[in-house]
Amino acid sequence: MELRLYDTLSREKRPFVPLDAKNVRMYVCGPTVYDFAHIGNARPVIVFDVLFRLLRHLYGEAHVKYVRNITDVDDKINDRAARDFPGLPLNEAIRKVTEQTGKQFHADVDALGALRPSVEPRATEHIGEMREIIERLVKGGFAYVAEDHVLFSPQAMNAGNSDLPRYGALSNRSLDEMVAGARVDVAPYKKGNTDFVLWKPSKPGEPSWPSPAGIKAEGRPGWHIECSAMAWKHLGEQFDIHGGGIDLVFPHHENEVAQTCCAFHQQRMANYWMHNGFLQVESEKMSKSLGNFITIHELLADWPGEVLRLNMLKTHYRSPIDWTMKSLEESAKTLDDWYRTAADVEPGRPAASVVEPLLDDLNTPLAIAALHGLRGGDIGALAGSLRLLGFLSESAGQWESRKQQASGVDAGEVERLISERTAARARKDFGESDRIRDLLAAMGVAIKDSKEGTTWEVAR
Ligand code: AMP
Ligand code: ZN
């Protein structure tokens, strides 16, 4: 069976044909590093990690290149830097903020079982490429300078040049409607009200770089140009897959396509545009004001990362996901069972029943259902399939201690209470043995008595 992927641009599932099977290339928009990443940010990380693993399985590890950027130029970063390090020059404070939050991001996504991408470029290290693309756009008549800004004109792009894609094609919008619907308070230096910023002047104290297009004052890039520059540098003018959350289709990805295709005079930037659906929490939009904003870091204090991973993959990546405590508890039970059954087994080839749904536009819920099917049969295939999906990264023993750590249960204390209870039962003091059982239950520990003795697990 061949791999088929849903492409947002053509709005259909198509067979995946790489430009070069020896060098399959994927770009995914990464985080803006100004704070702890939230569980919504974990969704593209996990979804595209599964795709990365699947592509490596199909084309070979050495033949897949995955680029996920780190956005380290942003107003939110500047604000945080000024707030947290008021005594430092802004540039130094910014470096501190992005170093710290970048490290935190890595710790979080490592715990989720996501492989590191082949390259993780930072925006600040690609200012030269951004300037070069901007120069090309100005020369080509797609962008213009006004009051030390460089602006891209979607109208110029759509003005009859049939070698280029149509601005609005990716997000399925018409430029006329966008023009009509544009806000009334459009900046006065813009010629058209849908024009967007490629480069802008820096305010005093803000990070700044020499400007392109003959502008004397130093400035800084707009957000969209960053990804065009980093994708170009690391993957070339055209590549296979571009991914991100559904919220990025417009304007971010629409603008990326526009910049890249106009700069390099081509019809396509990526051959497949993939977008994950949004995550909400207990049926509500996640937001700081609703108080239901959860970071990956907080969740990892209570749950092993693989539980979060499984919980994410139970829903198809294009559907919205409702993140609930109930579902997390079920995911924890499932994973626990898999660890006990398969973690210490020699992994076999991943089962066709698991790989086939993945080939069908990453149908992870169906793949997970197939894993349940293997549970009573080929355990080697179960182990191999789970590893393909990024599970079972540790032994069953390590898993037990991680679970206990995550749940805050002190294993030594549990063992001590269990032997006290065993002694109470031996002397037929059932009042005391029940009391200890209740005490353990209150600690979140379930016990099971059998002929071999008493075993325990962390109950959720
Ligand atoms: P940001 O740092 O906000 O640019 O987001 C980084 C990535 O996380 C992007 O691909 C976003 O589309 C994605 N993302 C942000 N919020 C959510 C959410 N609630 N559900 C799913 N994906 C999200
Ligand atoms: Zn991007």
Side-chain angles (χ1 to χ4, degrees):
M1 211 181 135
E2 61 184 3
L3 173 61
R4 294 164 62 82
L5 297 174
Y6 182 86
D7 172 26
T8 307
L9 176 60
S10 57
R11 282 171 270 285
E12 61 180 358
K13 232 187 260 181
R14 290 193 284 122
F16 177 70
V17 184
L19 291 165
D20 175 2
K22 291 260 175 283
N23 184 19
V24 180
R25 286 160 287 162
M26 168 162 83
Y27 185 93
V28 174
C29 293
T32 304
V33 285
Y34 69 98
D35 207 344
F36 284 108
H38 60 67
I39 188 62
N41 300 135
R43 194 167 191 196
V45 170
I46 294 172
V47 163
F48 291 104
D49 178 65
V50 170
L51 181 55
F52 183 37
R53 288 171 185 268
L54 183 65
L55 292 169
R56 284 158 50 113
H57 176 72
L58 298 172
Y59 295 94
E61 284 187 17
H63 303 300
V64 184
K65 187 167 183 187
Y66 173 22
V67 179
R68 184 182 64 211
N69 71 291
I70 289 178
T71 293
D72 58 356
V73 198
D74 189 87
D75 286 339
K76 289 188 284 254
I77 298 174
N78 301 347
D79 295 347
R80 170 97 195 256
R83 196 188 72 207
D84 288 5
F85 303 99
L88 288 183
L90 189 61
N91 275 329
E92 244 173 78
I94 287 170
R95 214 189 46 243
K96 280 208 185 298
V97 167
T98 59
E99 252 171 34
Q100 188 183 316
T101 48
K103 260 197 208 125
Q104 186 57 55
F105 178 73
H106 277 145
D108 287 349
V109 301
D110 287 353
L112 296 173
L115 299 172
R116 292 280 178 98
S118 325
V119 189
E120 284 190 286
R122 286 176 169 262
T124 49
E125 288 161 7
H126 295 76
I127 304 287
E129 286 80 4
M130 296 182 210
R131 270 201 301 261
E132 159 116 32
I133 295 178
I134 293 172
E135 297 284 1
R136 284 171 182 244
L137 292 173
V138 172
K139 279 203 192 83
F142 303 106
Y144 60 93
V145 176
E147 297 185 18
D148 290 346
H149 292 69
V150 186
L151 294 136
F152 184 95
S153 163
Q155 258 128 342
M157 173 178 176
N158 279 9
N161 192 335
S162 61
D163 298 342
L164 297 171
R166 178 178 63 78
Y167 185 86
L170 181 68
S171 56
N172 203 12
R173 294 165 190 232
S174 101
L175 189 53
D176 289 344
E177 276 165 25
M178 286 187 239
V179 170
R183 295 205 319 256
V184 275
D185 58 341
V186 176
Y189 49 79
K190 289 192 181 178
K191 287 187 194 164
N193 53 12
T194 56
D195 298 353
F196 63 86
V197 169
L198 300 173
W199 189 266
K200 58 189 165 191
S202 300
K203 299 196 189 82
E206 278 180 356
S208 65
W209 292 268
S211 296
I215 298 170
K216 296 274 179 316
E218 293 213 332
R220 60 188 180 123
W223 171 34
H224 317 301
I225 195 73
E226 296 177 9
C227 285
S228 283
M230 289 184 268
W232 175 42
K233 169 77 187 282
H234 298 282
L235 298 176
E237 295 172 9
Q238 264 186 47
F239 49 95
D240 298 298
I241 300 168
H242 193 313
I246 189 87
D247 57 318
L248 299 185
V249 175
F250 188 86
H252 185 52
H253 290 168
E254 191 73 61
N255 292 352
E256 267 188 50
V257 183
Q259 294 160 163
T260 297
C261 290
C262 292
F264 303 112
H265 298 282
Q266 61 189 19
Q267 268 290 345
R268 292 180 157 271
M269 177 184 188
N271 278 331
Y272 302 82
W273 285 87
M274 295 179 66
H275 295 99
N276 64 268
F278 243 47
L279 174 148
Q280 53 172 17
V281 172
E282 307 283 354
S283 307
E284 277 185 336
K285 186 176 172 318
M286 184 167 42
S287 79
K288 289 210 163 123
S289 57
L290 285 173
N292 64 352
F293 186 92
I294 342 176
T295 64
I296 305 172
H297 184 70
E298 283 164 339
L299 281 165
L300 286 172
D302 291 336
W303 306 90
E306 287 187 21
V307 170
L308 309 184
R309 181 178 181 92
L310 174 60
N311 204 50
M312 202 67 91
L313 296 176
K314 287 198 299 197
T315 305
H316 188 265
Y317 78 92
R318 281 194 284 126
S319 304
I321 185 168
D322 191 19
W323 189 265
T324 65
M325 193 51 91
K326 183 163 176 288
S327 168
L328 270 171
E329 281 163 2
E330 282 163 13
S331 300
K333 281 208 185 92
T334 304
L335 203 58
D336 208 31
D337 176 61
W338 285 341
Y339 259 97
R340 280 163 204 255
T341 316
D344 296 340
V345 171
E346 184 66 28
R349 276 172 63 81
S353 62
V354 175
V355 177
E356 277 175 17
L358 295 178
L359 294 176
D360 182 15
D361 192 32
L362 294 189
N363 193 334
T364 53
L366 214 58
I368 290 168
L371 290 170
H372 291 306
L374 293 172
R375 169 71 177 76
D378 187 345
I379 301 301
L382 175 64
S385 307
L386 282 165
R387 287 205 163 78
L388 173 65
L389 281 163
F391 296 108
L392 304 192
S393 60
E394 32 190 26
S395 70
Q398 285 168 326
W399 166 256
E400 278 303 323
S401 51
R402 171 172 313 282
K403 248 187 358 178
Q404 285 153 22
Q405 262 170 19
S407 64
V409 169
D410 175 347
E413 173 72 359
V414 172
E415 299 289 347
R416 193 183 62 72
L417 285 167
I418 286 178
S419 49
E420 268 184 26
R421 177 172 168 274
T422 308
R425 275 156 58 99
R427 58 176 196 269
K428 302 223 164 15
D429 183 352
F430 296 113
E432 176 64 1
S433 80
D434 285 352
R435 190 190 66 82
I436 296 174
R437 174 188 283 267
D438 293 346
L439 192 63
L440 286 164
M443 288 163 63
V445 172
I447 55 180
K448 212 192 270 163
D449 298 314
S450 71
K451 280 201 270 331
E452 284 77 39
T454 303
T455 55
W456 64 280
E457 62 179 11
V458 178
R460 289 272 179 202

PDB file of all heavy atoms in Angstrom, residues 27-30 69 71 223-224 226-228 230 242-244 248 252-253 256 273, ligand 2:
ATOM      1  N   TYR A  27       8.993  20.497   6.313  1.00  0.00           N
ATOM      2  CA  TYR A  27       9.164  21.678   7.172  1.00  0.00           C
ATOM      3  C   TYR A  27       7.917  21.852   8.035  1.00  0.00           C
ATOM      4  O   TYR A  27       6.790  21.773   7.527  1.00  0.00           O
ATOM      5  CB  TYR A  27       9.335  22.935   6.299  1.00  0.00           C
ATOM      6  CG  TYR A  27       9.643  24.190   7.093  1.00  0.00           C
ATOM      7  CD1 TYR A  27      10.966  24.576   7.314  1.00  0.00           C
ATOM      8  CD2 TYR A  27       8.620  24.974   7.632  1.00  0.00           C
ATOM      9  CE1 TYR A  27      11.265  25.720   8.059  1.00  0.00           C
ATOM     10  CE2 TYR A  27       8.910  26.119   8.368  1.00  0.00           C
ATOM     11  CZ  TYR A  27      10.233  26.487   8.571  1.00  0.00           C
ATOM     12  OH  TYR A  27      10.531  27.616   9.305  1.00  0.00           O
ATOM     13  N   VAL A  28       8.106  22.073   9.320  1.00  0.00           N
ATOM     14  CA  VAL A  28       6.968  22.310  10.219  1.00  0.00           C
ATOM     15  C   VAL A  28       7.242  23.578  11.036  1.00  0.00           C
ATOM     16  O   VAL A  28       8.351  23.761  11.544  1.00  0.00           O
ATOM     17  CB  VAL A  28       6.736  21.103  11.165  1.00  0.00           C
ATOM     18  CG1 VAL A  28       5.656  21.414  12.196  1.00  0.00           C
ATOM     19  CG2 VAL A  28       6.353  19.857  10.364  1.00  0.00           C
ATOM     20  N   CYS A  29       6.236  24.442  11.105  1.00  0.00           N
ATOM     21  CA  CYS A  29       6.412  25.682  11.871  1.00  0.00           C
ATOM     22  C   CYS A  29       6.495  25.361  13.360  1.00  0.00           C
ATOM     23  O   CYS A  29       5.610  24.717  13.924  1.00  0.00           O
ATOM     24  CB  CYS A  29       5.243  26.635  11.634  1.00  0.00           C
ATOM     25  SG  CYS A  29       5.212  27.237   9.948  1.00  0.00           S
ATOM     26  N   GLY A  30       7.564  25.811  13.956  1.00  0.00           N
ATOM     27  CA  GLY A  30       7.805  25.510  15.366  1.00  0.00           C
ATOM     28  C   GLY A  30       7.311  26.628  16.269  1.00  0.00           C
ATOM     29  O   GLY A  30       6.607  27.536  15.838  1.00  0.00           O
ATOM     30  N   ASN A  69      11.461  24.962  12.867  1.00  0.00           N
ATOM     31  CA  ASN A  69      12.172  26.168  13.273  1.00  0.00           C
ATOM     32  C   ASN A  69      11.857  26.576  14.709  1.00  0.00           C
ATOM     33  O   ASN A  69      10.908  26.104  15.325  1.00  0.00           O
ATOM     34  CB  ASN A  69      11.807  27.324  12.347  1.00  0.00           C
ATOM     35  CG  ASN A  69      10.395  27.783  12.593  1.00  0.00           C
ATOM     36  OD1 ASN A  69       9.444  27.075  12.291  1.00  0.00           O
ATOM     37  ND2 ASN A  69      10.247  28.957  13.181  1.00  0.00           N
ATOM     38  N   THR A  71      11.177  30.225  16.479  1.00  0.00           N
ATOM     39  CA  THR A  71      11.009  31.655  16.240  1.00  0.00           C
ATOM     40  C   THR A  71      11.520  32.415  17.457  1.00  0.00           C
ATOM     41  O   THR A  71      10.933  32.323  18.537  1.00  0.00           O
ATOM     42  CB  THR A  71       9.530  31.978  15.956  1.00  0.00           C
ATOM     43  OG1 THR A  71       9.180  31.372  14.716  1.00  0.00           O
ATOM     44  CG2 THR A  71       9.298  33.476  15.843  1.00  0.00           C
ATOM     45  N   TRP A 223       7.088  38.162  10.568  1.00  0.00           N
ATOM     46  CA  TRP A 223       7.057  36.750  10.976  1.00  0.00           C
ATOM     47  C   TRP A 223       7.081  35.803   9.767  1.00  0.00           C
ATOM     48  O   TRP A 223       7.836  34.822   9.739  1.00  0.00           O
ATOM     49  CB  TRP A 223       5.800  36.520  11.824  1.00  0.00           C
ATOM     50  CG  TRP A 223       5.493  35.101  12.157  1.00  0.00           C
ATOM     51  CD1 TRP A 223       6.401  34.089  12.401  1.00  0.00           C
ATOM     52  CD2 TRP A 223       4.191  34.510  12.303  1.00  0.00           C
ATOM     53  NE1 TRP A 223       5.730  32.924  12.702  1.00  0.00           N
ATOM     54  CE2 TRP A 223       4.388  33.143  12.647  1.00  0.00           C
ATOM     55  CE3 TRP A 223       2.887  34.997  12.194  1.00  0.00           C
ATOM     56  CZ2 TRP A 223       3.314  32.280  12.861  1.00  0.00           C
ATOM     57  CZ3 TRP A 223       1.833  34.127  12.420  1.00  0.00           C
ATOM     58  CH2 TRP A 223       2.058  32.792  12.745  1.00  0.00           C
ATOM     59  N   HIS A 224       6.276  36.102   8.746  1.00  0.00           N
ATOM     60  CA  HIS A 224       6.119  35.134   7.646  1.00  0.00           C
ATOM     61  C   HIS A 224       7.419  34.883   6.884  1.00  0.00           C
ATOM     62  O   HIS A 224       7.694  33.769   6.463  1.00  0.00           O
ATOM     63  CB  HIS A 224       5.036  35.605   6.671  1.00  0.00           C
ATOM     64  CG  HIS A 224       3.817  36.136   7.362  1.00  0.00           C
ATOM     65  ND1 HIS A 224       3.088  35.368   8.232  1.00  0.00           N
ATOM     66  CD2 HIS A 224       3.225  37.357   7.341  1.00  0.00           C
ATOM     67  CE1 HIS A 224       2.086  36.096   8.709  1.00  0.00           C
ATOM     68  NE2 HIS A 224       2.151  37.306   8.186  1.00  0.00           N
ATOM     69  N   GLU A 226      10.342  34.742   7.915  1.00  0.00           N
ATOM     70  CA  GLU A 226      11.273  33.866   8.635  1.00  0.00           C
ATOM     71  C   GLU A 226      11.182  32.444   8.111  1.00  0.00           C
ATOM     72  O   GLU A 226      12.196  31.789   7.851  1.00  0.00           O
ATOM     73  CB  GLU A 226      10.945  33.844  10.135  1.00  0.00           C
ATOM     74  CG  GLU A 226      11.117  35.190  10.802  1.00  0.00           C
ATOM     75  CD  GLU A 226      10.704  35.157  12.275  1.00  0.00           C
ATOM     76  OE1 GLU A 226      10.448  34.052  12.800  1.00  0.00           O
ATOM     77  OE2 GLU A 226      10.648  36.235  12.888  1.00  0.00           O
ATOM     78  N   CYS A 227       9.959  31.950   7.953  1.00  0.00           N
ATOM     79  CA  CYS A 227       9.808  30.544   7.556  1.00  0.00           C
ATOM     80  C   CYS A 227      10.188  30.349   6.087  1.00  0.00           C
ATOM     81  O   CYS A 227      10.774  29.326   5.734  1.00  0.00           O
ATOM     82  CB  CYS A 227       8.392  30.059   7.836  1.00  0.00           C
ATOM     83  SG  CYS A 227       8.132  29.781   9.603  1.00  0.00           S
ATOM     84  N   SER A 228       9.865  31.335   5.230  1.00  0.00           N
ATOM     85  CA  SER A 228      10.305  31.214   3.833  1.00  0.00           C
ATOM     86  C   SER A 228      11.824  31.096   3.777  1.00  0.00           C
ATOM     87  O   SER A 228      12.373  30.305   2.999  1.00  0.00           O
ATOM     88  CB  SER A 228       9.870  32.446   3.019  1.00  0.00           C
ATOM     89  OG  SER A 228       8.494  32.370   2.713  1.00  0.00           O
ATOM     90  N   MET A 230      14.034  30.129   6.223  1.00  0.00           N
ATOM     91  CA  MET A 230      14.604  28.921   6.831  1.00  0.00           C
ATOM     92  C   MET A 230      14.305  27.681   5.994  1.00  0.00           C
ATOM     93  O   MET A 230      15.147  26.787   5.866  1.00  0.00           O
ATOM     94  CB  MET A 230      14.090  28.765   8.258  1.00  0.00           C
ATOM     95  CG  MET A 230      14.699  29.802   9.180  1.00  0.00           C
ATOM     96  SD  MET A 230      14.207  29.602  10.909  1.00  0.00           S
ATOM     97  CE  MET A 230      12.782  30.667  10.976  1.00  0.00           C
ATOM     98  N   HIS A 242       4.842  20.619   3.977  1.00  0.00           N
ATOM     99  CA  HIS A 242       4.903  21.741   4.913  1.00  0.00           C
ATOM    100  C   HIS A 242       3.750  21.565   5.892  1.00  0.00           C
ATOM    101  O   HIS A 242       2.615  21.360   5.472  1.00  0.00           O
ATOM    102  CB  HIS A 242       4.785  23.060   4.149  1.00  0.00           C
ATOM    103  CG  HIS A 242       5.142  24.256   4.988  1.00  0.00           C
ATOM    104  ND1 HIS A 242       4.665  24.443   6.267  1.00  0.00           N
ATOM    105  CD2 HIS A 242       5.945  25.318   4.733  1.00  0.00           C
ATOM    106  CE1 HIS A 242       5.152  25.580   6.756  1.00  0.00           C
ATOM    107  NE2 HIS A 242       5.938  26.129   5.851  1.00  0.00           N
ATOM    108  N   GLY A 243       4.065  21.625   7.179  1.00  0.00           N
ATOM    109  CA  GLY A 243       3.028  21.376   8.179  1.00  0.00           C
ATOM    110  C   GLY A 243       2.931  22.456   9.236  1.00  0.00           C
ATOM    111  O   GLY A 243       3.782  23.340   9.343  1.00  0.00           O
ATOM    112  N   GLY A 244       1.863  22.349  10.019  1.00  0.00           N
ATOM    113  CA  GLY A 244       1.627  23.261  11.139  1.00  0.00           C
ATOM    114  C   GLY A 244       0.178  23.133  11.583  1.00  0.00           C
ATOM    115  O   GLY A 244      -0.579  22.336  11.018  1.00  0.00           O
ATOM    116  N   LEU A 248      -2.590  28.307  11.270  1.00  0.00           N
ATOM    117  CA  LEU A 248      -1.520  28.953  10.503  1.00  0.00           C
ATOM    118  C   LEU A 248      -1.815  29.064   9.012  1.00  0.00           C
ATOM    119  O   LEU A 248      -1.089  29.733   8.283  1.00  0.00           O
ATOM    120  CB  LEU A 248      -0.199  28.189  10.691  1.00  0.00           C
ATOM    121  CG  LEU A 248       0.335  28.105  12.132  1.00  0.00           C
ATOM    122  CD1 LEU A 248       1.700  27.430  12.137  1.00  0.00           C
ATOM    123  CD2 LEU A 248       0.447  29.491  12.754  1.00  0.00           C
ATOM    124  N   HIS A 252      -0.409  33.060   7.857  1.00  0.00           N
ATOM    125  CA  HIS A 252       1.016  32.702   7.845  1.00  0.00           C
ATOM    126  C   HIS A 252       1.415  31.875   6.615  1.00  0.00           C
ATOM    127  O   HIS A 252       2.336  32.249   5.880  1.00  0.00           O
ATOM    128  CB  HIS A 252       1.368  31.983   9.136  1.00  0.00           C
ATOM    129  CG  HIS A 252       2.813  31.681   9.291  1.00  0.00           C
ATOM    130  ND1 HIS A 252       3.791  32.637   9.155  1.00  0.00           N
ATOM    131  CD2 HIS A 252       3.477  30.507   9.541  1.00  0.00           C
ATOM    132  CE1 HIS A 252       4.988  32.080   9.333  1.00  0.00           C
ATOM    133  NE2 HIS A 252       4.820  30.794   9.559  1.00  0.00           N
ATOM    134  N   HIS A 253       0.736  30.773   6.386  1.00  0.00           N
ATOM    135  CA  HIS A 253       1.169  29.922   5.271  1.00  0.00           C
ATOM    136  C   HIS A 253       0.819  30.519   3.902  1.00  0.00           C
ATOM    137  O   HIS A 253       1.578  30.368   2.948  1.00  0.00           O
ATOM    138  CB  HIS A 253       0.582  28.510   5.434  1.00  0.00           C
ATOM    139  CG  HIS A 253       1.209  27.765   6.576  1.00  0.00           C
ATOM    140  ND1 HIS A 253       0.716  26.601   7.088  1.00  0.00           N
ATOM    141  CD2 HIS A 253       2.323  28.048   7.315  1.00  0.00           C
ATOM    142  CE1 HIS A 253       1.487  26.193   8.093  1.00  0.00           C
ATOM    143  NE2 HIS A 253       2.462  27.055   8.252  1.00  0.00           N
ATOM    144  N   GLU A 256       3.629  32.767   3.322  1.00  0.00           N
ATOM    145  CA  GLU A 256       4.869  32.031   3.027  1.00  0.00           C
ATOM    146  C   GLU A 256       4.896  31.584   1.567  1.00  0.00           C
ATOM    147  O   GLU A 256       5.905  31.747   0.877  1.00  0.00           O
ATOM    148  CB  GLU A 256       4.944  30.762   3.894  1.00  0.00           C
ATOM    149  CG  GLU A 256       5.688  30.918   5.180  1.00  0.00           C
ATOM    150  CD  GLU A 256       5.860  29.550   5.837  1.00  0.00           C
ATOM    151  OE1 GLU A 256       6.305  28.598   5.175  1.00  0.00           O
ATOM    152  OE2 GLU A 256       5.519  29.438   7.023  1.00  0.00           O
ATOM    153  N   TRP A 273       0.505  20.292   1.814  1.00  0.00           N
ATOM    154  CA  TRP A 273       0.340  21.174   2.975  1.00  0.00           C
ATOM    155  C   TRP A 273      -0.514  20.444   3.987  1.00  0.00           C
ATOM    156  O   TRP A 273      -1.662  20.083   3.691  1.00  0.00           O
ATOM    157  CB  TRP A 273      -0.335  22.481   2.550  1.00  0.00           C
ATOM    158  CG  TRP A 273       0.615  23.378   1.820  1.00  0.00           C
ATOM    159  CD1 TRP A 273       0.884  23.368   0.495  1.00  0.00           C
ATOM    160  CD2 TRP A 273       1.444  24.398   2.403  1.00  0.00           C
ATOM    161  NE1 TRP A 273       1.828  24.326   0.194  1.00  0.00           N
ATOM    162  CE2 TRP A 273       2.188  24.967   1.354  1.00  0.00           C
ATOM    163  CE3 TRP A 273       1.625  24.882   3.713  1.00  0.00           C
ATOM    164  CZ2 TRP A 273       3.102  26.011   1.563  1.00  0.00           C
ATOM    165  CZ3 TRP A 273       2.528  25.915   3.916  1.00  0.00           C
ATOM    166  CH2 TRP A 273       3.261  26.461   2.849  1.00  0.00           C
TER     167      TRP A 273
HETATM  168 ZN    ZN B   2       6.051  29.197   9.810  1.00  0.00          ZN
END
